[in-house]
């Protein structure tokens, strides 16, 4: 038995740690197209890049870091943490960098995945795997950029996720297209270095104050040496961030909370940004319809004399610059696209083919777009799991928490079933997957995610294929006790029960992890969310 994992970002690191140190399983290989580990934190190196989730929460439960410099750390510090985690747990020897996964095909005869790969020398080769896991993430492939006349532009262009550090933008005329989280970080970081900066922002955003305090030496000592101090701090951060979800839900109570939070945000925008931009900046859609932006001094930077904010889109490019929708033409030396990622096009651009010969993209396209049982398993694709898959994105909480929950679920279901020889082929039942997706749709109905605004949650078919419809702890509850009746298990050995019972290390590790999870997240067993979702 062997496992191939695609991607070496946070989810893959968590998966590798669980396989190696919790299950004692060594026969796994990670392939990563970049030149090192870190995923989105290696891809995104644009000026000002950082995390908008408190970093003590945005970290692995198995590798707490008492040395974080401040509440919301920058890209370089987070990447260094990812790299140090890989080395601390001896995971690097399982990783192969500079190798891209082109796709994979399930071989019905051999009951293995044939994974097609390409190395840096452009040589293609195939590796077989008993289990195939995608950990490519949702913030890896930039959106396709299509503007009339773009090919005519003679200046420099690049996406924030492909920032060209060889290009010297200082003293140049720069345009930034987009106004999401990336743009809000780039603008204040470059505005004082360029000659002029024009930002094209078609729609407004909800901005919130973003205190980012530096930790004192005493606090770092407490995090390091006082028992449970850091875990209690994480618990507080988790509960505070999870409580934000209450403003996104349907119903009058949520509406009241949302209105109060919107007023606070509106007041912050009014007192911080130039008055001439208020109409452009303040949304008319509900809070949470787009991802909230905790302001990294973006609004303050709008006071700079060399900056112009235009509340409109692009009509066309020409050789020298851009014409806006209202016909205003400006010349530029460099254009930066802060236009986001193909979040709902999961696994892009890999071509995955299942047991019936149909590709995953075609199977999803035939219905309402991407869906997966608990964001992890897709029928017709046996022995295959997706990390950070459809409808597993927490509203405003740590993605690493969600990934660790999902990793544990995969370990308890797919990996354990094959490792203990309960089955040789593990596949979710189509009715279970469809029931789960339908339940998600019902729970998302009436929430702010489906309000009238353009966001990256909604796919081309109009379905929200990204958001988890509730609190992050609800995802933990929904995955904690696997429902094996929702899966087709084929092959295996009759002695699997004995094998499972004698795997004392496996059981002990998971009981320990259960305690860690409860301590780290401070589960409050309230509501019937998990029951409503999965029919318990």
């Amino acid at each position: 038995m062997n496992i191939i994992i695609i991607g070496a970002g946070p989810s893959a690191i968590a998966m590798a740690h669980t396989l190696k140190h919790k299950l004692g399983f060594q026969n796994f290989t990670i392939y990563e197209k970049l030149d090192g580990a870190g995923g989105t934190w290696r891809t995104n190196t644009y000026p000002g890049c950082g995390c908008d989730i408190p970093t003590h929460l945005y970290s692995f439960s198995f590798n707490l870091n008492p040395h974080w410099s401040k509440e919301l750390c920058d890209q370089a510090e987070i990447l260094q943490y990812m790299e140090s985690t890989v080395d601390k747990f001896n995971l690097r020897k399982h990783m192969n960098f500079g190798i891209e996964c082109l796709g994979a095909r399930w071989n019905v005869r051999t009951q293995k995945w044939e994974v097609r790969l390409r190395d840096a020398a452009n040589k293609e080769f195939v590796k077989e795997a008993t289990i195939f896991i995608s950990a490519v993430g949702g913030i890896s492939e930039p959106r396709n950029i299509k503007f009339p006349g773009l090919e005519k532009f003679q200046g420099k262009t690049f996406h924030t996720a492909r920032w060209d550090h060889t290009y010297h933008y200082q003293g140049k005329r720069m345009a930034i297209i987009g106004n999401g989280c990336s743009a809000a970080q780039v603008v204040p970081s470059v505005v004082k270095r360029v000659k002029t900066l024009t930002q094209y922002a078609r729609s407004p955003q909800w901005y919130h104050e973003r205190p980012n305090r530096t930790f004192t030496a005493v606090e770092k000592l407490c995090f390091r040496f006082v028992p449970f101090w850091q875990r209690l701090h994480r618990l507080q951060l988790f509960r505070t961030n999870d409580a934000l979800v209450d403003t996104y839900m349907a119903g009058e109570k949520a509406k009241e909370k949302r209105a109060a939070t919107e007023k606070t945000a509106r007041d912050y925008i009014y007192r911080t940004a130039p008055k001439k931009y208020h109409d452009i900046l303040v949304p008319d859609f509900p809070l949470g319809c787009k991802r909230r932006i905790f302001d990294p001094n973006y609004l303050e930077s709008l006071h700079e004399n060399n900056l112009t904010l235009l509340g409109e889109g692009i009509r066309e490019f020409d050789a020298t610059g851009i014409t806006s929708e209202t016909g205003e033409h400006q010349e530029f030396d460099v254009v930066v696209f802060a236009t986001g990622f193909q979040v709902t096009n999961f696994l892009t651009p890999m071509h995955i083919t299942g047991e019936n010969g149909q590709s995953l993209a075609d199977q999803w396209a035939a219905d309402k777009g991407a869906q997966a049982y608990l964001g992890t398993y897709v029928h017709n694709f046996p022995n295959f799991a997706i990390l950070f898959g459809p409808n597993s994105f927490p509203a405003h909480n740590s993605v690493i928490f969600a990934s660790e929950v999902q990793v544990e679920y995969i370990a308890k279901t797919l990996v354990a079933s094959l490792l203990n020889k309960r089955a040789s082929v593990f596949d979710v039942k189509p009715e279970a997957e469809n029931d789960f997706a339908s339940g998600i749709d019902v729970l998302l109905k009436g929430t702010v995610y489906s309000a009238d605004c353009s966001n990256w949650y909604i796919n081309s078919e109009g379905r929200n294929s990204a958001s988890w419809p509730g609190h992050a702890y609800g995802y933990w509850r929904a995955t904690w006790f696997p429902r094996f009746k929702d899966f087709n298990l084929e092959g295996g050995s009759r002695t699997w029960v004995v094998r499972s019972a004698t795997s004392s290390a496996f059981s002990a590790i998971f009981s320990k992890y259960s305690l860690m999870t409860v301590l780290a997240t401070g589960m409050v067993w309230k509501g019937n969310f998990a029951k409503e979702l999965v029919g318990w």
Side-chain angles (χ1 to χ4, degrees), residues 17 27 60 101 110 124 128 145 204-205 219 231 249 267 370-371 384 396 400 432 440 536:
H17 175 267
N27 194 18
F60 298 112
C101 179
T110 62
E124 295 186 16
E128 285 192 336
I145 299 167
Q205 301 277 2
E219 286 177 305
R231 291 202 178 274
M249 298 296 103
D267 290 345
Q371 65 174 47
F384 172 62
H396 196 83
I400 292 182
I440 287 283
W536 291 340

Side-chain angles (χ1 to χ4, degrees), residues 20 29 34 54 67-68 87 91-92 98 102 115 130 147 185 209 276 279 287 329 338 350 430 443-444 467 510 526:
K20 189 179 183 77
T29 306
L34 301 177
H67 306 294
W68 290 119
D87 292 328
L91 305 177
R92 195 173 297 276
L102 302 176
V115 184
T130 314
F147 290 109
Q185 293 176 337
E209 195 166 4
K276 62 182 178 180
D279 290 343
L287 180 84
H329 182 270
M350 296 187 296
L443 291 171
L444 285 171
S467 302
F510 270 110
K526 62 180 182 178

Side-chain angles (χ1 to χ4, degrees), residues 324-457:
S324 70
E325 288 175 335
T326 59
E328 181 179 346
H329 182 270
Q330 291 192 52
E331 296 185 352
F332 297 106
D333 302 304
V334 55
V335 177
V336 177
F337 298 104
T339 48
F341 298 86
Q342 300 182 50
V343 178
T344 57
N345 292 339
F346 295 87
L347 281 64
T348 299
M350 296 187 296
H351 186 83
I352 314 297
T353 304
E355 64 178 348
N356 61 356
Q358 187 179 36
S359 74
L360 181 58
D362 288 344
Q363 178 170 309
W364 279 342
D367 196 3
K368 297 178 294 183
Q371 65 174 47
Y373 179 81
L374 284 169
T376 309
Y377 298 120
V378 182
H379 71 280
N380 292 331
F381 293 82
N383 296 5
F384 172 62
I386 307 172
L387 284 166
F388 206 41
N391 295 113
S392 65
F393 296 16
H396 196 83
N397 212 312
S398 173
V399 168
I400 292 182
F401 169 82
S403 293
E404 285 197 68
V405 168
Q406 202 171 16
V407 161
E408 183 186 359
Y409 182 63
I410 293 170
K412 290 189 294 188
T413 50
L414 171 59
V415 177
S417 294
L418 271 64
L419 199 60
N420 294 326
K421 298 191 182 301
R422 182 176 185 174
S424 58
V425 177
F426 181 99
D427 194 11
V428 67
K429 295 178 180 178
E431 56 270 25
E433 179 191 323
N434 290 329
D435 287 349
F436 172 81
S438 297
I440 287 283
D441 292 342
V442 169
L443 291 171
L444 285 171
K445 189 175 182 180
T447 64
V448 295
Y449 308 120
S450 57
D452 187 19
C453 80
S454 173
N455 59 44
W456 51 261
Y457 314 128

Side-chain angles (χ1 to χ4, degrees), residues 121-154:
N122 212 32
K123 180 182 177 181
E124 295 186 16
F125 59 100
V126 175
K127 292 287 185 180
E128 285 192 336
T130 314
I131 292 175
F132 178 48
I133 299 175
S134 168
V136 298
I139 308 177
S140 57
E141 288 296 320
R143 281 182 179 172
N144 294 325
I145 299 167
K146 298 178 181 179
F147 290 109
L150 178 58
E151 72 284 354
K152 300 176 184 177
F153 182 60
Q154 298 300 305

